[in-house]
Amino acid sequence: MPNSYDPDQLIRPEILALSAYHVPPATGMVKLDAMENPYPLPVELRTEIAQLSVDAPVNRYPDASAASLKNTLRNALDIPDEMDILLGNGSDEIIQIIAMAAAKPGAKLMSVEPAFVMFRMIATFANLQYVGVPLKDDFSLDLDAMLSAIEQHKPAVIFLAYPNNPTGNLFDAQAVLKIVQASPGVVVVDEAYHAFADASLMDQLTQYPNLLLMRTLSKLGLAGLRLGLLAGRSDWVSQLEKIRLPYNVGIMTQLIAEAVLQHTDVLLAQADVIKTERAKLYRLLAGLDSVTAFPSDANFILFRIDRASEVFAALKQRGILIKNLDGTHPLLANCLRVTVGTPEENHQFYETLHTILSETV
Ligand SMILES: *Cc1c(COP(=O)(O)O)cnc(C)c1O
């Protein structure tokens, strides 16, 4: 037996070349980096959850099909009767399931650039080739570029976030549907930010046999539970179900999600407050000379600012954590992304930013 083992000899080179998804420590900070809902659940609902956990049979495996939860989700999210539902430990896991299922030798996964970084990362995990088609300068879809890339690469899967992260905008729905029609593979529309946008392609599912739609409860206020879902035709979902690990959604997640979804009005009211705060924060940012703020249909705002990396570091030093996107893609040069928080958090962020800008001039 050799007396030393070398991971570099064993692990695939594309994995060795990756850097791990970085989650910065945030203890004690104003945390506006991860698109979390800043509001806790009402105390009555938390008490109900406490009782559920008292009674939960945690010695048993959870319901592997999560039938009851799926039924609740179908009603709460208006999923068409004809569509099946696949549940994931967050929608990240669903992206991974789809990628694994599609990973024939040489198969490609396509998205736009800039997009949600997990599309690219998971493509690599699953041994798919990744193709990223740049958005236009205003972050709209470059439909001609997409159509020619589809013809050239014939991707097995296309992921499009609607609204897009990290840019915050909704793509033109007609352009997305043209991409669906032109695609030889499946197109997954990722509606993680649906609660903050007044648009959805859910009602198009019945029209397009290669369209799948993904949602998550994370941005709605349940990020800690880890529950994502995919709605689509049973021909797709029944195949993907084979890859889903049997107990991927634990009993606490099933019970709590079901209880909270009886009160979607609570979550949607919180989302409404966040939308109002988004408009206020946008006006404040847009009013700063050195800032270009981009309109958002999500619970965050992307903005461009002179010396972005310095501003990001100065904010962090003063206890405000946002996301630095400078250097991650040419279209994101000098761009930062701030999650819309509570009125107090947004105020603290804005005032601190304002102070930093007045100091550095
Ligand atoms: C945050 C985010 C997700 C991940 O959601 P989870 O359900 O928490 O895994 C998926 N897609 C996009 C575009 C996101 O921004």
Side-chain angles (χ1 to χ4, degrees), residues 74 78-84 177 180-181 187 200-213 231-236:
R74 183 183 291 286
D78 286 325
I79 297 171
D81 291 342
E82 307 92 305
M83 297 300 143
D84 274 4
L177 294 174
V180 175
Q181 275 176 307
V187 178
S200 172
L201 295 180
M202 186 73 87
D203 59 0
Q204 301 295 327
L205 277 176
T206 50
Q207 305 297 315
Y208 297 90
N210 60 332
L211 176 63
L212 296 172
L213 193 132
R233 296 179 184 231
S234 61
D235 341 359
W236 294 111

Coordinates of all heavy atoms in Angstrom, one line a residue, residues 74 78-84 177 180-181 187 200-213 231-236:
R74 N -48.8 22.6 -5.2 CA -49.5 22.7 -6.4 C -50.6 23.8 -6.3 O -50.7 24.6 -7.2 CB -50.1 21.3 -6.8 CG -50.9 21.3 -8.1 CD -51.6 19.9 -8.3 NE -50.6 18.9 -8.6 CZ -49.9 18.7 -9.7 NH1 -50.1 19.6 -10.7 NH2 -49.1 17.7 -9.8
D78 N -50.1 27.5 -8.0 CA -50.9 27.4 -9.2 C -50.1 26.6 -10.3 O -50.0 27.0 -11.4 CB -51.2 28.8 -9.8 CG -52.2 29.5 -9.0 OD1 -53.2 28.8 -8.5 OD2 -52.2 30.7 -8.8
I79 N -49.7 25.4 -9.9 CA -49.0 24.5 -10.9 C -50.1 23.8 -11.6 O -51.0 23.2 -11.0 CB -48.1 23.6 -10.1 CG1 -47.0 24.4 -9.4 CG2 -47.5 22.5 -11.1 CD1 -46.1 23.5 -8.5
P80 N -50.1 23.9 -13.0 CA -51.2 23.2 -13.8 C -51.3 21.7 -13.4 O -50.4 21.0 -13.2 CB -50.7 23.4 -15.2 CG -49.7 24.5 -15.2 CD -49.1 24.5 -13.8
D81 N -52.6 21.3 -13.4 CA -52.9 19.9 -13.1 C -52.2 18.9 -13.9 O -51.8 17.8 -13.4 CB -54.4 19.6 -13.3 CG -55.3 20.4 -12.3 OD1 -54.7 20.8 -11.2 OD2 -56.5 20.6 -12.5
E82 N -51.9 19.2 -15.2 CA -51.3 18.3 -16.1 C -49.8 18.1 -15.7 O -49.2 17.1 -16.3 CB -51.3 18.7 -17.5 CG -52.7 19.1 -18.0 CD -53.1 20.6 -17.8 OE1 -53.0 21.0 -16.7 OE2 -53.4 21.2 -18.8
M83 N -49.2 19.0 -14.9 CA -47.8 18.9 -14.7 C -47.4 18.1 -13.4 O -48.1 18.1 -12.4 CB -47.2 20.3 -14.5 CG -47.4 21.2 -15.8 SD -46.5 20.5 -17.2 CE -47.7 20.9 -18.5
D84 N -46.3 17.4 -13.5 CA -45.7 16.7 -12.4 C -44.8 17.6 -11.6 O -44.3 18.6 -12.2 CB -45.0 15.4 -12.8 CG -46.0 14.3 -12.9 OD1 -47.2 14.5 -12.8 OD2 -45.5 13.1 -13.2
L177 N -39.4 32.4 -25.2 CA -40.2 31.3 -25.9 C -39.7 30.9 -27.2 O -39.7 29.8 -27.7 CB -41.7 31.7 -25.9 CG -42.4 31.9 -24.6 CD1 -43.8 32.4 -24.7 CD2 -42.4 30.5 -23.8
V180 N -37.0 28.5 -26.5 CA -37.6 27.2 -26.2 C -37.9 26.5 -27.5 O -37.6 25.3 -27.7 CB -38.9 27.4 -25.3 CG1 -39.6 26.0 -25.1 CG2 -38.6 28.0 -24.0
Q181 N -38.6 27.2 -28.4 CA -39.0 26.6 -29.7 C -37.8 26.2 -30.6 O -37.8 25.2 -31.2 CB -39.8 27.6 -30.5 CG -41.3 27.6 -30.2 CD -42.0 28.6 -30.9 OE1 -41.7 29.8 -30.9 NE2 -43.1 28.2 -31.6
V187 N -35.4 23.3 -22.0 CA -35.2 24.7 -21.5 C -35.8 24.8 -20.1 O -37.0 24.6 -19.9 CB -35.7 25.8 -22.4 CG1 -35.5 27.2 -21.8 CG2 -35.1 25.7 -23.8
S200 N -44.5 35.4 -15.0 CA -44.2 34.0 -14.8 C -44.4 33.3 -16.2 O -45.3 33.7 -16.9 CB -45.0 33.3 -13.8 OG -44.8 31.9 -13.8
L201 N -43.7 32.2 -16.4 CA -44.0 31.4 -17.6 C -44.7 30.1 -17.2 O -44.8 29.2 -18.0 CB -42.7 31.1 -18.4 CG -42.0 32.3 -19.0 CD1 -40.7 31.9 -19.7 CD2 -42.9 33.1 -19.9
M202 N -45.2 30.0 -16.0 CA -45.9 28.9 -15.5 C -47.1 28.4 -16.5 O -47.2 27.3 -16.8 CB -46.5 29.1 -14.1 CG -47.2 27.9 -13.5 SD -46.0 26.7 -12.9 CE -45.6 27.2 -11.3
D203 N -47.8 29.4 -17.0 CA -48.9 29.1 -17.9 C -48.5 28.7 -19.3 O -49.4 28.4 -20.1 CB -50.0 30.2 -17.9 CG -49.4 31.5 -18.4 OD1 -48.2 31.6 -18.7 OD2 -50.2 32.5 -18.4
Q204 N -47.2 28.8 -19.6 CA -46.7 28.3 -20.9 C -46.3 26.8 -20.9 O -46.1 26.2 -21.9 CB -45.5 29.1 -21.3 CG -45.8 30.6 -21.4 CD -46.8 30.9 -22.5 OE1 -46.8 30.2 -23.6 NE2 -47.6 32.0 -22.3
L205 N -46.3 26.2 -19.7 CA -45.8 24.8 -19.6 C -46.6 23.9 -20.5 O -46.0 23.0 -21.1 CB -45.9 24.3 -18.1 CG -44.8 24.7 -17.2 CD1 -45.1 24.2 -15.8 CD2 -43.4 24.2 -17.7
T206 N -47.9 24.1 -20.5 CA -48.7 23.2 -21.3 C -48.5 23.4 -22.8 O -48.9 22.5 -23.6 CB -50.2 23.4 -21.0 OG1 -50.5 24.8 -21.1 CG2 -50.6 22.9 -19.6
Q207 N -47.9 24.5 -23.2 CA -47.8 24.8 -24.7 C -46.5 24.2 -25.3 O -46.4 24.0 -26.5 CB -47.7 26.3 -24.9 CG -48.9 27.1 -24.3 CD -50.2 26.7 -25.0 OE1 -50.3 26.6 -26.2 NE2 -51.2 26.4 -24.2
Y208 N -45.5 24.1 -24.4 CA -44.1 23.7 -25.0 C -43.6 22.4 -24.3 O -43.4 22.4 -23.1 CB -43.1 24.9 -24.7 CG -43.5 26.1 -25.4 CD1 -44.3 27.1 -24.7 CD2 -43.1 26.4 -26.7 CE1 -44.7 28.3 -25.4 CE2 -43.5 27.6 -27.3 CZ -44.3 28.5 -26.7 OH -44.7 29.7 -27.3
P209 N -43.5 21.4 -25.1 CA -43.1 20.1 -24.6 C -41.7 20.0 -24.0 O -41.4 19.1 -23.3 CB -43.2 19.1 -25.8 CG -43.1 20.0 -27.0 CD -43.7 21.3 -26.6
N210 N -40.8 21.0 -24.3 CA -39.5 21.0 -23.8 C -39.2 22.1 -22.8 O -38.1 22.5 -22.6 CB -38.4 21.1 -25.0 CG -38.6 22.4 -25.8 OD1 -39.7 22.9 -25.8 ND2 -37.5 22.8 -26.3
L211 N -40.3 22.6 -22.2 CA -40.1 23.6 -21.2 C -40.3 23.1 -19.8 O -41.3 22.3 -19.6 CB -41.2 24.7 -21.4 CG -41.3 25.9 -20.4 CD1 -40.0 26.7 -20.4 CD2 -42.4 26.8 -20.8
L212 N -39.4 23.4 -18.9 CA -39.5 23.0 -17.5 C -39.4 24.3 -16.6 O -38.8 25.3 -17.1 CB -38.4 22.1 -17.0 CG -38.4 20.7 -17.7 CD1 -37.1 19.9 -17.3 CD2 -39.6 19.9 -17.4
L213 N -40.1 24.3 -15.5 CA -40.1 25.6 -14.7 C -39.7 25.3 -13.3 O -40.2 24.3 -12.7 CB -41.5 26.2 -14.7 CG -41.6 27.6 -14.2 CD1 -42.3 28.5 -15.1 CD2 -42.2 27.6 -12.8
A231 N -41.5 22.0 -12.0 CA -42.8 21.6 -12.6 C -42.6 21.3 -14.0 O -41.9 22.1 -14.7 CB -43.9 22.7 -12.4
G232 N -43.2 20.2 -14.5 CA -43.0 19.8 -15.9 C -43.8 18.6 -16.2 O -44.4 17.9 -15.4
R233 N -43.7 18.2 -17.5 CA -44.4 17.0 -18.0 C -43.9 15.8 -17.3 O -42.7 15.7 -17.1 CB -44.3 16.9 -19.5 CG -45.0 18.1 -20.2 CD -44.8 18.0 -21.6 NE -45.4 19.3 -22.1 CZ -46.3 19.4 -23.0 NH1 -46.8 18.3 -23.7 NH2 -46.8 20.6 -23.4
S234 N -44.8 14.8 -17.2 CA -44.3 13.6 -16.5 C -43.3 12.8 -17.3 O -42.5 12.1 -16.7 CB -45.5 12.7 -16.2 OG -46.1 12.3 -17.4
D235 N -43.2 13.0 -18.7 CA -42.1 12.3 -19.4 C -40.8 12.8 -18.9 O -39.8 12.0 -18.8 CB -42.1 12.6 -20.9 CG -43.4 13.1 -21.5 OD1 -44.3 13.3 -20.8 OD2 -43.3 13.4 -22.7
W236 N -40.6 14.0 -18.6 CA -39.4 14.5 -18.0 C -39.2 14.2 -16.6 O -38.2 13.6 -16.1 CB -39.3 16.1 -18.2 CG -39.2 16.6 -19.6 CD1 -40.2 17.3 -20.2 CD2 -38.1 16.5 -20.5 NE1 -39.8 17.6 -21.5 CE2 -38.5 17.1 -21.7 CE3 -36.9 15.8 -20.5 CZ2 -37.7 17.2 -22.8 CZ3 -36.1 15.9 -21.6 CH2 -36.5 16.6 -22.8

